[in-house]
Amino acid sequence: MGREELQRVFLALKQLVESQPVIQRCRLWGKILGTQSNYIVAEAECKEWEDEEEEKIGDEAAEEEEREAETREGDENEIDPLPQSTYKPPPLVPKEAMGTGANKFVYYVCKEPGLPWVKLPSVSPAQITVARQIRKFFSGRLDSPVNSYPPFPGNEGNYLRAQIARISAGTQVSPQGFFQTGEEEGDEEDEAPRDSYDVNPDFEGISVAEMVESLSTWVHHIQHILQQGRCTWVNLAVKREEDQNEDGEAEETEEEPDEPEQEVGPPLLTPLSQDAEIFNTPPWTTKMSSTLTSQHAAAVLRSNLWPGAYAYACGKKFENIYVGWGLKDVGEGYSPPLPPLPQKEYPSGPEITEAQDPSVEEEQVLEEALDEQEAEQEELDDTDEGELLDDD
């Protein structure tokens, strides 16, 4: 990104803040490259959060339930109903509320500085989970479909938002001591992970040489995303029990499922020295911006797991930026996930089991037996009529 483009981006961000009065703070998150056009991403912190998307999702779920109920009633009214599937999908992991977890910030994108900004939707745990299993280049069109396996629940705009959440959780870092967590909560901090921090007014800065030499001088200030797709773990077993109580189902007859183990990620403000290596590659590389004028140089940090993610710090100032294709490094080769095994056949029984065709000899024997039965039945009918005539 050259000086001219950066100046245009600065003016575009200023225009965004003026057009959106709810934005409290805004910064350039980075630039994601695409095959047809690029995305310039702005990260914003809003004063008020809108929950329109959650209402839409709730309405869609209610409509789906009504459709399922109608299909069930139609099947029951049939004379010979089709066999019903006993498969129950796993419970849907709820989305994190706006302003918390992976939805802590709101993101706006535009193709070029000066074009209108488009607000990205909030991200769901299902989208993050599927985004971890696929690798797709961005086309530059938010409404384009994402053709992949496993199928991605959304379009390219949702996929872009999921990748932004993953990149932010893995590469947003700051000098140690710049942020501090509140200690007013007391014993509750041990039960729930910390999800907020404050700027430390007593931070005096760390020397550039020390930040280049040791990764322990850098910390993560964005929450880690768990395997569940959320930053804060939610117990789905408890939610399923609540749903069963509302429906009035008997819980005594059903076997109680095993209590799932709670997922615990690294706490907030964890040093980068505790990051694990992947594919025998160190997760971070540090260097000094200039060795000629070290007194004016800045400490530069580069992510090897997310190529394109950089952080720099000099004195009391630091910043994070990402310029890349939005893909994580997966080593030398990539193997897409295999499709699931084919489902088992429907259990055979007398209702659906096909009988073998009889041979010619068996058909003749059956015809002779039927003829004998008819002859015997005629004799019985004749004797009954004769007895009735004698009685008369």
Side-chain angles (χ1 to χ4, degrees):
M1 300 179 69
R3 288 187 176 183
E4 180 180 354
E5 185 178 4
L6 286 175
Q7 183 66 21
R8 294 174 60 193
V9 169
F10 168 73
L11 296 176
L13 292 174
K14 187 176 180 181
Q15 182 183 10
L16 173 63
V17 174
E18 293 176 353
S19 62
Q20 300 290 337
V22 296
I23 295 179
Q24 185 176 4
R25 187 182 64 86
C26 184
R27 75 178 188 93
L28 175 64
W29 183 88
K31 181 179 180 181
I32 290 185
L33 308 178
T35 57
Q36 300 179 12
S37 61
N38 305 326
Y39 292 113
I40 296 175
V41 185
E43 182 183 86
E45 185 176 355
C46 299
K47 302 176 184 177
E48 299 177 356
W49 306 101
E50 299 178 359
D51 297 334
E52 297 179 357
E53 297 175 0
E54 296 181 359
E55 294 178 357
K56 291 180 181 178
I57 293 172
D59 296 340
E60 292 176 358
E63 290 179 359
E64 290 181 359
E65 291 180 357
E66 291 178 359
R67 292 173 185 172
E68 291 179 358
E70 291 177 357
T71 54
R72 290 174 184 172
E73 291 178 359
D75 294 339
E76 291 177 356
N77 295 332
E78 291 181 1
I79 300 174
D80 189 8
L82 298 175
Q84 297 293 332
S85 174
T86 58
Y87 170 76
K88 293 182 179 180
L92 184 65
V93 181
K95 184 189 298 185
E96 291 180 301
M98 297 297 296
T100 60
N103 293 318
K104 184 176 182 180
F105 300 103
V106 177
Y107 294 92
Y108 295 85
V109 297
C110 67
K111 296 182 179 180
E112 291 183 3
L115 295 180
W117 291 91
V118 179
K119 180 182 176 182
L120 294 179
S122 57
V123 66
S124 65
Q127 293 169 354
I128 293 179
T129 302
V130 177
R132 286 171 168 169
Q133 305 175 36
I134 64 177
R135 287 179 65 83
K136 295 284 290 185
F137 283 107
F138 293 94
S139 64
R141 293 180 288 108
L142 294 175
D143 57 348
S144 62
V146 180
N147 299 322
S148 64
Y149 181 83
F152 183 80
N155 54 16
E156 185 169 303
N158 302 107
Y159 178 55
L160 176 62
R161 181 63 182 85
Q163 292 298 90
I164 289 174
R166 296 179 60 204
I167 295 171
S168 299
T171 63
Q172 298 287 324
V173 296
S174 60
Q176 187 179 23
F178 186 88
F179 294 112
Q180 62 180 1
T181 56
E183 299 179 356
E184 298 178 358
E185 297 179 0
D187 297 336
E188 295 180 358
E189 293 183 358
D190 299 335
E191 299 178 359
R194 300 173 180 175
D195 58 353
S196 62
Y197 50 80
D198 300 322
V199 178
N200 184 11
D202 301 329
F203 178 71
E204 298 180 355
I206 304 174
S207 63
V208 175
E210 186 177 357
M211 298 194 72
V212 172
E213 291 178 1
S214 176
L215 289 176
S216 59
T217 57
W218 299 84
V219 296
H220 292 275
H221 62 266
I222 298 295
Q223 283 184 282
H224 174 76
I225 300 179
L226 305 173
Q227 293 296 324
Q228 197 178 42
R230 292 169 50 101
C231 295
T232 55
W233 186 76
V234 60
N235 191 352
L236 298 178
V238 174
K239 187 176 181 182
R240 176 174 287 183
E241 291 178 0
E242 293 177 355
D243 296 339
Q244 291 177 353
N245 292 334
E246 293 177 357
D247 297 339
E249 297 180 0
E251 297 181 0
E252 297 178 357
T253 57
E254 298 180 359
E255 296 181 359
E256 296 182 358
D258 296 335
E259 188 70 18
E261 296 183 2
Q262 181 177 359
E263 296 183 26
V264 179
L268 206 62
L269 304 182
T270 301
L272 268 62
S273 56
Q274 299 183 11
D275 291 1
E277 294 185 0
I278 299 180
F279 306 112
N280 297 324
T281 302
W284 301 95
T285 300
T286 59
K287 69 175 182 179
M288 193 175 292
S289 61
S290 175
T291 57
L292 300 177
T293 58
S294 58
Q295 66 274 16
H296 303 294
V300 180
L301 188 68
R302 183 185 67 184
S303 174
N304 296 327
L305 301 182
W306 289 98
Y310 290 87
Y312 71 88
C314 182
K316 296 183 180 181
K317 296 182 179 180
F318 79 96
E319 193 54 72
N320 296 270
I321 193 170
Y322 178 85
V323 180
W325 293 96
L327 297 178
K328 189 176 182 179
D329 184 19
V330 294
E332 297 179 356
Y334 167 73
S335 298
L338 298 175
L341 296 175
Q343 296 182 352
K344 295 181 179 180
E345 295 290 341
Y346 193 81
S348 61
E351 298 177 354
I352 62 173
T353 302
E354 295 183 1
Q356 294 182 357
D357 294 337
S359 60
V360 178
E361 292 79 6
E362 292 176 348
E363 289 181 353
Q364 291 177 355
V365 172
L366 181 61
E367 288 179 359
E368 293 176 358
L370 292 175
D371 294 340
E372 291 178 358
Q373 290 180 1
E374 290 179 358
E376 293 176 357
Q377 187 67 28
E378 290 177 356
E379 291 178 359
L380 290 174
D381 295 340
D382 294 339
T383 54
D384 292 339
E385 291 178 358
E387 292 177 357
L388 291 172
L389 291 173
D390 296 339
D391 293 337
D392 294 341

